[in-house]
Amino acid sequence: MPALLRRQLSKLELSEEKAPNVEQWRAFLVQLQRTYAEAEQDRYTLERSMMVSSREMQDLHDQLRRSEENFRVVAERIPDGVFVQRDGLIRYANPAMASMLAIGDPGELIGKDPFGTLAHPDDRDAARDYARRRAAGELVGMLSIRWVRSDGSAIFVEVRATQIAFDGQPSILVIAHDITDRLRAQAEREHMAEALRENELRFRRLFESGMLGIIIADRSGSILEANDAFLELVGHTREDLLAGTLAWEELTPPEWRHLHAGVNEQLEAQGWARPWEKEYLRKDGSRVPVLVGVAMLEGNRNISFSVDLSEKRRAETEHQRAEQAHAALEDQLRQSQKMQAIGSLAGGVAHDFNNLLSVILTYSEMLAEDFDATDPIRANLDEIHAAGVRASELTRQLLAFSRRQVLQPRLVDLNELVNGMKRMLQRLVREDVELTLLLSPSLPRTEVDPGQIEQVIVNLAVNARDAMPEGEIGRAHV
């Protein structure tokens, strides 16, 4: 290694045995540039003064040559891109610079405009202004721009420039450090941080929304945090939570606790448990049905979401009651249809029977006319006629029941009508029911259809009979 290079290394406390890092390479390169610039300035001074000997001039040229050789040795080892610019074009580029731009040979960069051709179109104006100001001797700092690689992709670089003498002429030394990976990692960190903030904001909104009961508990089941919706769900206060009196096990009724073993197995295996239904014990001792889901968090904690199923259960109960009522209505409809069929049948039978009764009544009346009123046969015929009349009344009631008789309203003595129905009503009610007629002597005659009134009284008597307990003596008042 040349003596000048060893001296420069020793100034930075470096040696051939101790491999320098990137920052030490950069510092050495700057020191070497300064030495090179100082030697070049001395050469100009000596040439102008013409007071030095040719021997001294040759020594100075040798020193400059060795300085340039040392510069190239260092520049080709440094991992950052290094190039020398003069008159706006690249005069030297190290291998790292070629690699940075995906170019195989650094010589391909010679003669190119580093701040024009290589710079990204959107950054060229800023790059050229930076190079102009640096060439003018202004103290400018670092420039961050994009360069376009040979494959068309763009990289981000930090550029530092300083004035040097290269090949005996004033030039600009540029060191470019690729920061693409750093910026990408920084962008990913910022994106992750932003995503984390958004997730935390969404969770906080969900936590405070009151739509779900949310708790955070440790592995032992102690509840560490709970939102207002959960506290309202179980009837506890935040003071109870802060006092540490809330625990998963105590809030669960004994008959539901056997499910916890399966939940813990799922948490161990996959980090979450399938939602399941259970109940919570409220502070007042009542119970509330819930749908619960659990997932593991960091630090041996878990988060649980609880949905109140009370409204769902009430809706299911109402639906079940509605179905039962519907079934009852369907049963009543079927019974009504049966009764309608029976009424139709009874009406048909009554109509035919009424025709037969008409014949019986007619012949009984004709026979009665052939006998004297004191004749015993006449009395028998009168009984036959009276029974036929009563039978005709029964058929009229059946026809009214079947809705096949045309209404015939007329003035009726209701006392007489009810009194005539006494025997039939007694047969309708049970033998252990005492039937009493409460008639009103001053009741005026009423214009009604007798058959319809009789039907109403029959229905009332039947309803009264059905309402009386079996095996007990009852009373029915008409």
Side-chain angles (χ1 to χ4, degrees):
M1 179 178 291
L4 178 59
L5 182 59
R6 283 196 296 272
R7 287 195 300 271
Q8 297 298 335
L9 288 173
S10 63
K11 291 180 180 181
L12 297 175
E13 299 181 356
L14 301 174
S15 65
E16 298 181 50
E17 293 78 13
K18 182 180 180 181
N21 56 33
V22 174
E23 294 300 327
Q24 290 173 330
W25 273 121
R26 290 175 180 167
F28 176 70
L29 185 58
V30 173
Q31 182 66 32
L32 191 61
Q33 293 165 359
R34 291 175 180 170
T35 302
Y36 184 83
E38 292 172 357
E40 184 69 12
Q41 184 63 37
D42 291 343
R43 183 177 70 85
Y44 289 149
T45 302
L46 291 173
E47 287 180 348
R48 287 195 302 269
S49 65
M50 299 296 294
M51 296 177 62
V52 296
S53 63
S54 60
R55 175 70 179 181
E56 291 174 336
M57 185 63 69
Q58 184 63 40
D59 290 342
L60 184 59
H61 278 292
D62 291 342
Q63 183 179 1
L64 289 173
R65 179 179 55 78
R66 288 193 299 269
S67 179
E68 289 184 5
E69 290 176 354
N70 292 337
F71 166 77
R72 291 177 182 272
V73 170
V74 174
E76 294 189 4
R77 291 187 179 184
I78 193 171
D80 285 341
V82 177
F83 66 89
V84 177
Q85 176 190 4
R86 186 172 64 249
D87 299 330
L89 302 176
I90 295 178
R91 303 301 178 177
Y92 166 80
N94 71 340
M97 181 69 182
S99 177
M100 187 182 298
L101 298 172
I103 296 175
D105 183 8
E108 298 181 22
L109 295 172
I110 304 303
K112 290 188 176 182
D113 179 3
F115 296 109
T117 305
L118 300 182
H120 191 278
D122 295 340
D123 297 344
R124 287 174 184 172
D125 291 341
R128 285 172 176 155
D129 181 69
Y130 178 82
R132 179 189 57 79
R133 292 169 58 197
R134 192 66 190 88
E138 292 186 29
L139 296 177
V140 293
M142 177 185 64
L143 174 67
S144 296
I145 61 171
R146 288 169 292 175
W147 277 345
V148 180
R149 291 160 51 93
S150 62
D151 58 7
S153 61
I155 59 173
F156 291 84
V157 294
E158 287 180 345
V159 174
R160 294 178 176 85
T162 185
Q163 291 180 331
I164 65 168
F166 187 81
D167 290 337
Q169 300 182 47
S171 305
I172 297 178
L173 173 68
V174 179
I175 301 176
H177 179 59
D178 188 352
I179 60 173
T180 304
D181 291 340
R182 188 183 75 191
L183 293 180
R184 184 181 295 114
Q186 180 180 349
E188 290 178 355
R189 288 193 299 270
E190 292 176 354
H191 177 73
M192 292 177 63
E194 181 63 24
L196 180 60
R197 285 192 295 270
E198 291 180 357
N199 288 337
E200 290 178 348
L201 178 60
R202 284 195 291 267
F203 175 76
R204 180 54 57 184
R205 288 176 177 174
L206 176 63
F207 191 84
E208 297 175 352
S209 67
M211 294 185 295
L212 298 172
I214 304 175
I215 64 172
I216 296 176
D218 57 22
R219 292 301 297 273
S220 67
S222 297
I223 298 177
L224 307 176
E225 189 174 355
N227 66 346
D228 293 338
F230 180 83
L231 294 175
E232 182 179 355
L233 184 65
V234 296
H236 282 272
T237 63
R238 191 155 296 279
E239 287 71 20
D240 297 332
L241 174 66
L242 297 177
T245 59
L246 296 183
W248 180 269
E249 197 75 10
E250 283 69 21
L251 291 174
T252 303
E255 63 270 23
W256 291 96
R257 294 176 184 173
H258 68 280
L259 298 176
H260 293 175
V263 172
N264 291 331
E265 291 178 0
Q266 294 182 56
L267 291 177
E268 291 290 343
Q270 58 193 20
W272 56 275
R274 291 185 298 274
W276 76 100
E277 293 187 10
K278 59 173 288 184
E279 289 181 336
Y280 280 140
L281 280 173
R282 293 171 54 85
K283 188 176 183 179
D284 59 6
S286 61
R287 298 189 178 196
V288 55
V290 291
L291 178 68
V292 181
V294 183
M296 290 299 299
L297 299 176
E298 295 179 355
N300 280 333
R301 297 183 303 164
N302 59 70
I303 184 170
S304 172
F305 300 89
S306 301
V307 180
D308 188 353
L309 298 181
S310 300
E311 289 297 330
K312 179 184 176 183
R313 295 290 173 81
R314 278 193 289 268
E316 291 175 349
T317 302
E318 291 297 330
H319 180 69
Q320 185 177 5
R321 290 176 179 174
E323 288 185 342
Q324 292 173 351
H326 182 71
L329 289 175
E330 288 183 342
D331 185 62
Q332 291 179 6
L333 177 60
R334 286 191 294 269
Q335 292 296 328
S336 176
Q337 291 172 343
K338 290 179 181 179
M339 293 301 295
Q340 184 178 4
I342 293 174
S344 298
L345 178 61
V349 173
H351 185 271
D352 294 340
F353 188 60
N354 193 49
N355 293 334
L356 296 175
L357 288 174
S358 298
V359 175
I360 294 173
L361 291 174
T362 300
Y363 277 98
S364 65
E365 290 175 356
M366 292 172 62
L367 287 174
E369 291 176 355
D370 295 337
F371 296 93
D372 188 75
T374 59
D375 193 319
I377 296 178
R378 174 66 180 270
N380 293 335
L381 290 174
D382 289 341
E383 287 295 329
I384 292 174
H385 186 270
V389 172
R390 289 193 296 272
S392 178
E393 291 294 327
L394 289 175
T395 57
R396 186 166 57 83
Q397 293 176 11
L398 288 174
L399 288 172
F401 174 74
S402 63
R403 305 295 193 269
R404 295 182 61 175
Q405 183 184 28
V406 179
L407 296 180
Q408 299 176 351
R410 57 186 175 86
L411 290 176
V412 176
D413 185 347
L414 294 179
N415 288 331
E416 181 180 346
L417 185 145
V418 172
N419 193 47
M421 295 178 62
K422 182 175 182 180
R423 290 184 180 180
M424 182 180 67
L425 293 176
Q426 187 63 61
R427 290 195 297 269
L428 288 175
V429 298
R430 301 192 303 268
E431 295 180 355
D432 56 354
V433 175
E434 180 182 350
L435 179 64
T436 304
L437 300 182
L438 303 178
L439 305 179
S440 176
S442 60
L443 185 67
R445 295 171 66 87
T446 307
E447 186 178 7
V448 294
D449 183 280
Q452 293 296 314
I453 292 297
E454 290 173 353
Q455 185 64 44
V456 170
I457 295 174
V458 168
N459 291 340
L460 292 174
V462 171
N463 290 339
R465 178 199 65 188
D466 294 341
M468 295 180 186
E470 292 285 347
E472 296 183 10
I473 297 176
R475 293 182 178 86
H477 302 282
V478 179

